[in-house]
Amino acid sequence: MLGRIFPRLGQRRAGQGHLAATARRLFVDRAGATAVTFAMLLVPMLMAAGGGADFYAMWRRKADLQQVADGAVMSGAINADAGDNDAKVKSAVKDFITKNFDTPFKATSTVTTTLDSNLGQVATEVTSAMSTTFLKVFGLSNLTFKVKSAATYGGGLMEVALAIDVTGSMDGAKLTAAKAAAKDLVQTLWTVPGTTKTNDKVKISLVPFARYVNIGTSYRGQSWLDVAADKTWTTNECWNEEQGGYCSATKTVTSTCYNDGTPYSCSWQECTNWVSGKIVNVCGTVNHATAWNGCVGSRAGTADLQAEATAASKIPGLMDTWCNAELVRLTKTQGQMISAIEGLSAWEETYIAPGMLWAWRTLSSKQPFADGSSDTKVKKAIILMTDGANTVSADPTYVPYHWGSDVTASNTTLAKVCANAKADNIAIYTIAFQVTDATIKKILTDCATTPSYFYDSTNIAAMQQAFKAIGAQLSSRRLTY
């Protein structure tokens, strides 16, 4: 009846019934297709889930093996330091892996160990495997993994430069303590840990620095050096000379003087009444001389930001200039180095950049000395110790002399030389000895290879401990990879 009264409503219900039937048929068809698709994806899904669990277990097992391998090479390094032969060292590595990995994990690892006496290094490669749980179903019953590790012993091939501040502010107890610390370091580096053998694989250089560096006079005539010949001559001259003059009264003048930037109280006698004498014209022979004492200055521009010196870019020798003790090139002779350290004395102002630069030059395989090895496996390090900030700089007006007072320029030069030396694969350790200037401490921190290679020593004991720590780090057993 409703259909007759409302014909459209009847038609709609009939249409809805048709749609519902069609929907039921589609649902049945899709359910069947979904079941087939799910069945097809089930195998790779199970494989991925189970395989992921197996691979995670392998990753954890490999991490365990890496830790054991690290311990094994350290064990081998201890045996190598004790003087054991290759067979004993290799056996120590193998036994450590067997005891700490193979036995607890019921594994059979393949261990290949090598010794490099030049590098002072024990290296091992360990291959092992573990059984799978889920991947077995798919025919993969084992997962194989490999680790590598290496440790140094006895220092290995090493070239080390000591750049020591010998400026006026170091005079007295500070320099005495620094010399003792440097000698201890030298003895540490030249003695193989655990033995009494002298380590002939270690070379050390010494670069005392103040306003200038003294390279010694034996290099005159070298292609990389620009220095005039020494000469003497005489002239006949006349001059006025006061005769019979004298001081009849003096007074004491007290003031503040400076030694390498460090203030101190000083006094002197000043004449307050000079009694003039007779002015007489005198003539005679005057002897003149000019000589080179081994002091070297800076090249113009940015040339001295790099260590190399050539005939096209020569290092300037400074005539009639005095500087501190001569540097010592890389040597294996312990007595020579100890004697040179003992002979250091303090004098003059501070310019740190030349100290760093010449330390780098002593380690370089290029001119001026070309003493350093070109083998990248040789460990190279600079240890720089200073007790204060820069007080002088290179003088752009009077190149190549260091008569300037632009401390900012000196700091910038030092930072750039440090960066270039590090780029040349040289490790840099810096020691600030009772330094109060925050700017130079920041530069020395940045100069060091890492912040941990910078030592802020506020007293003599801390400075000496810094040298000991550096010596132990350079010569001790440690993991290299």
Side-chain angles (χ1 to χ4, degrees):
M1 183 174 181
L2 287 173
R4 287 195 297 271
I5 298 172
F6 303 106
R8 291 182 181 274
L9 180 59
Q11 292 173 8
R12 185 177 300 166
R13 285 184 173 176
Q16 287 175 343
H18 177 72
L19 287 172
T22 301
R24 284 194 296 272
R25 287 196 301 273
L26 286 173
F27 176 78
V28 172
D29 291 344
R30 289 182 180 178
T34 300
V36 172
T37 301
F38 180 76
M40 293 174 65
L41 292 175
L42 182 60
V43 173
M45 288 171 63
L46 289 173
M47 186 175 181
D54 277 335
F55 279 110
Y56 176 71
M58 183 201 72
W59 173 80
R60 294 187 62 181
R61 189 69 56 84
K62 183 178 179 179
D64 290 334
L65 180 58
Q66 184 65 66
Q67 289 186 347
V68 172
D70 291 345
V73 293
M74 291 297 287
S75 176
I78 292 171
N79 282 267
D81 276 337
D84 289 344
N85 58 33
D86 286 13
K88 287 187 177 180
V89 172
K90 292 177 181 178
S91 177
V93 174
K94 174 64 176 173
D95 290 347
F96 191 96
I97 292 170
T98 299
K99 179 180 179 181
N100 294 282
F101 185 83
D102 285 1
T103 299
F105 289 111
K106 296 181 174 57
T108 303
S109 301
T110 301
V111 181
T112 304
T113 301
T114 58
L115 272 73
D116 189 324
S117 59
N118 284 328
L119 289 180
Q121 178 175 277
V122 179
T124 193
E125 181 177 286
V126 188
T127 303
S128 194
M130 60 165 282
S131 299
T132 61
T133 300
F134 296 98
L135 293 178
K136 259 181 204 174
V137 179
F138 305 100
L140 189 60
S141 58
N142 291 289
L143 290 175
T144 302
F145 47 94
K146 181 188 297 183
V147 300
K148 297 180 180 180
S149 188
T152 60
Y153 65 92
L157 285 175
M158 191 188 314
E159 296 172 353
V160 179
L162 302 179
I164 306 295
D165 184 333
V166 289
T167 54
S169 58
M170 283 288 295
D171 194 24
K174 291 171 72 174
L175 184 59
T176 299
K179 291 196 288 187
K183 288 191 292 184
D184 286 345
L185 173 71
V186 165
Q187 291 165 346
T188 296
L189 296 182
W190 260 318
T191 303
V192 179
T195 74
T196 58
K197 297 178 182 178
T198 297
N199 191 343
D200 62 357
K201 299 179 180 65
V202 175
K203 294 180 181 180
I204 303 176
S205 63
L206 174 67
V207 180
F209 68 90
R211 185 189 296 264
Y212 299 110
V213 169
N214 185 348
I215 67 171
T217 59
S218 62
Y219 301 102
R220 179 183 267 120
Q222 293 293 316
S223 62
W224 48 266
L225 181 66
D226 182 15
V227 62
D230 294 350
K231 63 179 181 179
T232 60
W233 69 98
T234 60
T235 59
N236 291 317
E237 300 179 15
C238 296
W239 61 94
N240 289 329
E241 183 177 285
E242 183 179 8
Q243 296 179 352
Y246 64 96
C247 181
S248 64
T250 62
K251 69 174 181 178
T252 301
V253 178
T254 301
S255 183
T256 299
C257 297
Y258 292 86
N259 181 6
D260 186 31
T262 302
Y264 65 95
S265 296
C266 57
S267 62
W268 62 90
Q269 294 298 308
E270 184 177 282
C271 182
T272 58
N273 186 49
W274 177 259
V275 179
S276 299
K278 181 180 179 182
I279 303 300
V280 178
N281 185 257
V282 179
C283 296
T285 300
V286 179
N287 296 317
H288 304 272
T290 184
W292 180 51
N293 301 305
C295 309
V296 288
S298 296
R299 294 177 291 189
T302 60
D304 268 354
L305 300 181
Q306 296 293 339
E308 186 176 11
T310 65
S313 182
K314 296 184 179 185
I315 294 169
L318 306 178
M319 303 299 291
D320 303 323
T321 302
W322 292 95
C323 49
N324 300 65
E326 293 181 22
L327 63 76
V328 178
R329 290 167 58 172
L330 282 176
T331 179
K332 292 182 180 179
T333 306
Q334 184 170 344
Q336 177 189 9
M337 183 59 60
I338 295 297
S339 178
I341 292 172
E342 289 176 342
L344 295 178
S345 59
W347 176 64
E348 259 286 4
E349 299 292 314
T350 301
Y351 188 19
I352 304 172
M356 175 60 70
L357 180 63
W358 279 97
W360 179 13
R361 282 173 173 157
T362 64
L363 302 181
S364 175
S365 61
K366 301 176 181 178
Q367 289 182 316
F369 300 137
D371 289 339
S373 173
S374 59
D375 188 344
T376 57
K377 294 180 181 179
V378 176
K379 180 166 52 183
K380 296 175 184 276
I382 293 172
I383 303 168
L384 181 141
M385 189 278 293
T386 182
D387 77 327
N390 287 302
T391 58
V392 295
S393 67
D395 193 328
T397 304
Y398 298 100
V399 176
Y401 293 92
H402 300 164
W403 293 340
S405 57
D406 188 344
V407 172
T408 300
S410 295
N411 291 342
T412 299
T413 299
L414 174 60
K416 290 180 178 178
V417 172
C418 289
N420 291 340
K422 287 188 287 189
D424 199 26
N425 296 316
I426 295 176
I428 297 178
Y429 299 84
T430 55
I431 302 172
F433 180 21
Q434 294 184 342
V435 174
T436 58
D437 185 89
T439 298
I440 197 64
K441 283 207 274 191
K442 176 65 166 59
I443 292 171
L444 292 173
T445 303
D446 294 340
C447 179
T449 299
T450 69
S452 65
Y453 283 22
F454 167 71
Y455 294 83
D456 188 6
S457 305
T458 58
N459 53 52
I460 287 175
M463 179 273 294
Q464 293 179 325
Q465 183 56 44
F467 272 98
K468 288 181 183 296
I470 294 168
Q473 183 171 349
L474 287 172
S475 62
S476 67
R477 296 178 292 272
R478 65 194 180 282
L479 294 173
T480 53
Y481 65 78

